[in-house]
Amino acid sequence: MSAGVPSDIPQDQLPYIRRNAQRLLALPEPGERWRSDVIPDDLANQLVGLQNKGIVRRVDRVKCTEWSKRRCLWETDPDAYQRIQAVLEGNDRDGALPCGHSAIRNERGVDGVTCGVCGVVHDREEVRSR
C-alpha cells in the first residue's frame, strides 16, 4: 500500500479505483442516498463488490411502489469518492502507467498502451519498465 493511504480502507480499493475511475464517476455524490436504478447496470451488478471494497455502503432497505420486494438504499463513501476524483483530475501519480494512472485500454490499431483516464498513449516498453 502506498504511503499516505489510510490503513482502514480495503487494500484493493485504490488499485480498483485507479483501473475503473471513469466507470465509478457514475456513482452519486456522497451524502445522497440512492437506489441501484440510478446508476448504469454494469455498475449496479457490482454493488456488493463495491461495498466490499469500501466504495459504497448499504444504508437501508425500503419498500418501493414499482417493485414487489424491498430495495436497498446506498451511499457513496466520501473518502472513496475523493480518491475517484483525484484519479480523474490527475492528482494521483502512483499508478501503473507513466502518467500515474492505472486504467489501461489496449486498443486495436494503437501502437502502445492507452490510459483509460487521460487518454495518453504510452510506449509498451516504458510501461513494462515501471
Side-chain angles (χ1 to χ4, degrees):
M1 194 177 296
S2 61
V5 176
S7 60
D8 60 336
I9 64 168
Q11 191 172 14
D12 60 344
Q13 184 192 79
L14 191 55
Y16 183 84
I17 288 174
R18 286 178 176 146
R19 288 188 310 272
N20 297 284
Q22 203 65 43
R23 286 182 50 238
L24 294 171
L25 184 60
L27 291 173
E29 291 187 22
E32 180 181 333
R33 291 179 166 204
W34 46 272
R35 293 188 331 209
S36 62
D37 59 349
V38 302
I39 61 175
D41 288 343
D42 68 322
L43 210 49
N45 291 335
Q46 297 179 10
L47 281 170
V48 172
L50 295 175
Q51 181 178 19
N52 292 340
K53 289 178 178 21
I55 296 171
V56 301
R57 63 180 156 261
R58 189 176 71 191
V59 293
D60 203 356
R61 290 179 62 87
V62 295
K63 180 74 174 148
C64 301
T65 56
E66 64 268 27
W67 301 95
S68 61
K69 295 166 96 176
R70 292 168 43 104
R71 305 295 289 183
C72 293
L73 285 181
W74 300 88
E75 281 184 344
T76 306
D77 180 78
D79 293 332
Y81 190 81
Q82 286 180 340
R83 288 181 191 96
I84 294 165
Q85 298 306 310
V87 167
L88 291 171
E89 293 168 4
N91 297 329
D92 173 45
R93 295 293 176 198
D94 294 326
L97 297 173
C99 62
H101 301 124
S102 293
I104 296 173
R105 281 194 328 238
N106 287 314
E107 299 178 302
R108 291 178 188 233
V110 174
D111 187 24
V113 177
T114 304
C115 175
V117 176
C118 65
V120 172
V121 178
H122 300 283
D123 179 77
R124 292 183 189 283
E125 285 303 316
E126 187 180 9
V127 173
R128 278 190 205 106
S129 67
R130 271 189 70 85

